[in-house]
Each structure stands twice: as structure tokens, then as C-alpha cells.
């Protein structure tokens, strides 16, 4: 692949990326880790509008399924080290005149990742993960583990609050999250491994939580990289770690075995996306220290291979967007305060 880069904005501590197919246009949004705005951009990188001026602390942004006017975002997660006691999740709603309003739907200290899932009965669910439960005034305090919470979502998130229920407690270093494209399930990764969470099929059913991989895992994504009809799970380990691996689904359902590990250690692996680029299943990965690279992982000639996209920028998150015939990678390069767009060509 060939990559052509342009920097589209300077945003100190640029962090979260979300896509937003609005009533007016398809777009993407960027939020910052510290104090600062959520900004919206056209698919070609042209700045469009400011969703919110603050307060910042945005770890996750997601469009509400079935709505072309509403986003959810974490708020006030300023640091995992005694900086997220006031964190929560906020709904941002765009009016027909282009103005945005906000409503804090829940308070949830140390909420880091979340997603929106749909049960078989059509019920929309929030699944939200706290990276820890509390923090003393010391760095890297993991005394109180995090948890996974769930809540039914109604139709008026612009004004209502939601009631959270704990789904799974004692989730140490609860960092990674991947949501299935059809919103049918989510993967959560912690110091204990990778867990799949499936919402109830109806009101008489319960959530299903299954362990798929036993390994301290920071982040995950899923794709059928080798094209054999079975999914692989790509993992970054351990917490904010340096090891990139691929686990392949086995013959027995819900079992995975490691089939590849990158021999190069990459400090502070963090950015992660999986899907299809130019017809090829692949992942885009980035690390925040050391080489601070952005690179593509793909399967070719019988092996997993890496292809460099950019160097020394320090991406926190990345995403791939399709715009007609164009394919672009969006990177929130936290360590260099830039939002970058990479046009991809074969």
C-alpha cells in the first residue's frame, strides 16, 4: 500500500476517534484526553464544527445506532492516576439548525471504554467499562479493580439518565474494548484475559460472559486475516505493553490459540483498528513510546506481516474510513498533538 499524509488539525493530547453519519453529512469526530473540545471533520479532513468546547477527558466516542443526530462520549477521564473521579458518559445531540446540546446520562468514575449493543429483541444496551474502581493519590495504583456495567437505553438520551447494573466485577486493568460491527457482542480485555459479552435476547434472558483468551491483554481487535473463514483475535499485551500477537479460533467453539507473535517489542502499544483496506482484511496498530509508529498488520504469503505507515508521531487511536472510492486512515497522534489523515492507495 501507499500512504499520503496530511495534518488536518492541532489538538493537544488528541485521543478519541468516532465516526458520525449525520443527517447533513458523513463525518468523523475527535476528542482530547485533557481539557479541550470534541471537533467534527468531513471525511476528507475539512473541519466542520465543534461538538463541544469541553470539558475533555474523552476516551471513547460512539454514534447512537438508529440516530443521525446523536453521539455518546466519555467525559472528564483526565488520567487513570487519580484524575477520573468525576468521569461519566455524555450524550451530544445535534439540532436541525446545527447547534449541539449535551446531557450527562450517567456518572461513572474511571469509565474508560464503552459501546452500544443490540439484543436479539432490538433492545439497545450500553456496556461501559471502568479501568479501576478508585485511586489513591499515587501513580499506577491498582488496589481497587474496575468493573463492567450495563444499562438499557431508551429513546430520549438527550434528556434522560440511565440506570447502571454491574455485569462483572474485579476487572483488573480493564482497558481494551472491541464492538462487533453488527453490535451483537463486545470483547473486553483485562489483566485476566479477553472476555466476550453478549446482551440478553429478551427480558427473560441474561447477559452471557465467556472467557476466550487467558493472557493479560491491553487491547484487542478481530478479523479473518488469513481468509480461512474463522476469526483471529489480535492482542496487545500486557497492560500498555509491548507485545503484538494473533490468536486463531480453534476447531472447538470459543477456543483460541496463539499462532503468531511479533518478535520486535514495541513500547506502549495502544492504537488499534481492524477491518478491510482495499479489499484486504488487516489491522492498523500504533504505539505511543519508542518508535511511536503507525503500521498495518496483514497476512500474505503464508505469514503475518507488518507495513509501516508513519513514524515518530505517537498515535493513541486510529480508524479507517471509506469515502466513495477513497480509503483514509485517521490517526489521533496524542504524543505530537496532531490529527492526521492518510490517503491509502494500492
Amino acid at each position: 500500500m501507499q500512504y499520503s499524509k496530511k495534518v488536518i488539525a492541532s489538538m493537544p493530547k488528541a485521543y478519541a476517534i468516532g465516526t458520525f453519519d449525520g443527517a447533513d453529512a458523513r463525518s468523523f469526530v475527535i476528542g482530547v484526553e485533557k481539557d479541550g473540545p470534541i471537533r467534527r471533520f468531513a471525511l476528507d479532513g475539512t473541519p466542520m464544527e465543534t461538538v463541544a468546547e469541553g470539558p475533555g477527558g474523552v476516551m471513547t466516542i460512539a454514534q447512537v445506532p438508529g440516530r443521525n443526530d446523536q453521539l455518546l462520549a466519555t467525559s472528564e477521564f483526565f488520567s487513570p492516576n487519580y484524575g477520573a473521579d468525576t468521569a461519566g458518559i455524555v450524550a451530544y445531540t445535534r439540532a436541525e439548525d446545527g447547534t449541539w446540546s449535551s446531557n450527562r446520562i450517567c456518572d461513572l468514575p474511571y469509565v474508560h471504554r464503552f459501546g452500544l449493543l443490540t439484543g436479539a429483541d432490538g433492545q439497545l444496551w450500553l456496556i461501559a467499562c471502568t479501568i479501576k474502581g478508585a485511586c489513591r493519590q499515587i501513580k499506577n495504583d491498582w488496589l481497587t479493580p474496575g468493573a463492567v456495567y450495563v444499562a438499557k437505553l431508551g429513546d430520549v438520551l438527550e434528556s434522560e439518565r440511565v440506570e447502571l447494573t454491574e455485569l462483572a466485577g474485579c476487572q483488573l486493568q480493564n482497558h481494551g474494548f472491541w464492538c462487533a460491527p453488527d453490535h451483537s457482542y463486545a470483547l473486553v480485555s483485562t489483566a485476566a484475559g479477553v472476555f466476550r459479552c453478549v446482551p440478553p435476547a429478551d427480558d427473560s434472558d441474561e447477559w452471557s460472559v465467556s472467557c476466550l483468551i487467558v493472557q493479560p491483554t491491553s487491547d484487542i481487535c478481530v478479523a479473518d486475516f488469513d481468509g480461512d473463514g474463522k476469526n483471529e483475535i489480535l492482542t496487545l499485551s500486557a497492560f500498555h505493553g509491548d507485545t503484538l500477537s494473533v490468536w486463531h479460533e480453534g476447531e472447538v467453539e470459543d477456543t483460541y490459540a496463539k499462532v503468531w507473535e511479533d518478535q520486535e517489542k514495541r513500547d506502549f502499544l495502544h492504537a488499534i483498528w481492524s477491518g478491510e483496506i482495499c479489499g484486504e482484511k488487516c489491522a492498523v496498530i500504533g504505539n505511543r513510546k519508542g518508535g511511536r509508529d503507525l503500521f498495518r498488520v496483514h497476512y500474505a504469503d503464508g505469514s503475518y506481516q507488518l507495513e509501516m505507515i508513519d513514524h515518530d508521531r505517537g498515535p493513541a487511536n486510529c480508524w479507517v474510513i471509506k469515502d466513495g472510492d477513497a480509503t483514509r486512515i485517521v490517526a489521533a497522534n496524542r504524543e505530537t498533538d496532531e490529527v492526521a489523515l492518510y490517503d491509502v492507495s494500492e
Side-chain angles (χ1 to χ4, degrees):
M1 302 287 180
Q2 301 295 316
Y3 305 95
S4 175
K5 176 186 178 181
K6 62 179 178 180
V7 176
I8 61 172
S10 176
M11 295 181 69
K13 301 296 184 287
Y15 192 92
I17 303 173
T19 57
F20 179 62
D21 294 337
D24 57 336
R26 295 178 62 216
S27 60
F28 62 91
V29 290
I30 305 289
V32 298
E33 180 177 346
K34 303 300 181 183
D35 297 319
I38 299 173
R39 296 177 60 187
R40 186 181 179 205
F41 299 85
L43 296 185
D44 65 359
T46 302
M48 293 181 67
E49 59 189 350
T50 297
V51 175
E53 293 290 352
V58 184
M59 297 288 101
T60 304
I61 307 174
Q63 183 166 359
V64 178
R67 298 283 299 257
N68 61 10
D69 62 344
Q70 197 166 73
L71 296 165
L72 297 185
T74 47
S75 180
E76 298 183 58
F77 186 108
F78 297 116
S79 171
N81 300 303
Y82 50 86
D85 298 281
T86 60
I89 298 176
V90 175
Y92 296 97
T93 307
R94 190 178 192 273
E96 290 185 4
D97 64 2
T99 59
W100 288 85
S101 61
S102 64
N103 173 51
R104 190 177 176 99
I105 66 170
C106 67
D107 301 322
L108 189 56
Y110 295 93
V111 58
H112 181 247
R113 301 290 186 220
F114 72 83
L116 300 164
L117 301 181
T118 305
D121 60 354
Q123 173 64 53
L124 185 62
W125 289 87
L126 170 70
I127 176 170
C129 306
T130 56
I131 198 169
K132 57 177 64 175
C135 192
R136 299 167 293 171
Q137 297 296 302
I138 60 174
K139 192 173 183 180
N140 296 322
D141 177 22
W142 301 105
L143 181 66
T144 308
V148 179
Y149 296 88
V150 295
K152 286 185 176 182
L153 296 185
D155 298 325
V156 285
L157 291 178
E158 54 268 39
S159 60
E160 69 181 12
R161 287 178 70 88
V162 301
E163 182 178 349
L164 295 167
T165 300
E166 184 179 296
L167 175 64
C170 201
Q171 302 289 294
L172 181 63
Q173 295 181 332
N174 182 5
H175 184 271
F177 187 90
W178 181 85
C179 186
D182 64 357
H183 300 277
S184 62
Y185 71 95
L187 298 185
V188 176
S189 59
T190 75
V194 179
F195 298 84
R196 183 185 59 212
C197 302
V198 183
D202 53 48
D203 285 339
S204 64
D205 199 5
E206 297 181 349
W207 279 81
S208 169
V209 180
S210 307
C211 182
L212 303 182
I213 294 174
V214 179
Q215 171 193 255
T217 304
S218 189
D219 288 282
I220 66 277
C221 65
V222 177
D224 180 9
F225 295 102
D226 62 7
D228 70 346
K230 291 188 175 183
N231 282 331
E232 291 111 294
I233 299 177
L234 185 150
T235 64
L236 311 181
S237 62
F239 178 73
H240 285 173
D242 61 5
T243 301
L244 170 65
S245 306
V246 173
W247 301 67
H248 199 288
E249 186 178 6
E251 293 183 3
V252 178
E253 186 178 6
D254 295 342
T255 63
Y256 287 80
K258 185 187 293 188
V259 294
W260 176 79
E261 182 177 301
D262 185 10
Q263 295 306 297
E264 182 174 342
K265 300 301 180 182
R266 304 173 188 276
D267 199 11
F268 207 154
L269 288 162
H270 199 278
I272 188 166
W273 173 91
S274 62
E276 190 172 293
I277 297 179
C278 299
E280 184 178 30
K281 298 289 187 182
C282 59
V284 180
I285 307 296
N287 64 318
R288 289 170 49 182
K289 290 184 179 180
R292 305 197 301 183
D293 297 323
L294 183 71
F295 54 94
R296 188 173 71 96
V297 180
H298 62 112
Y299 188 87
D301 300 324
S303 65
Y304 297 91
Q305 302 184 18
L306 273 59
E307 178 180 83
M308 194 61 60
I309 298 170
D310 202 0
H311 174 69
D312 201 27
R313 308 319 297 161
N317 285 291
C318 58
W319 203 259
V320 174
I321 54 176
K322 283 282 293 178
D323 180 17
D325 293 332
T327 299
R328 302 184 182 100
I329 300 169
V330 184
N333 291 329
R334 178 197 183 278
E335 309 309 320
T336 46
D337 297 336
E338 70 178 21
V339 181
L341 206 61
Y342 304 83
D343 279 284
V344 184
S345 59
E346 294 184 86

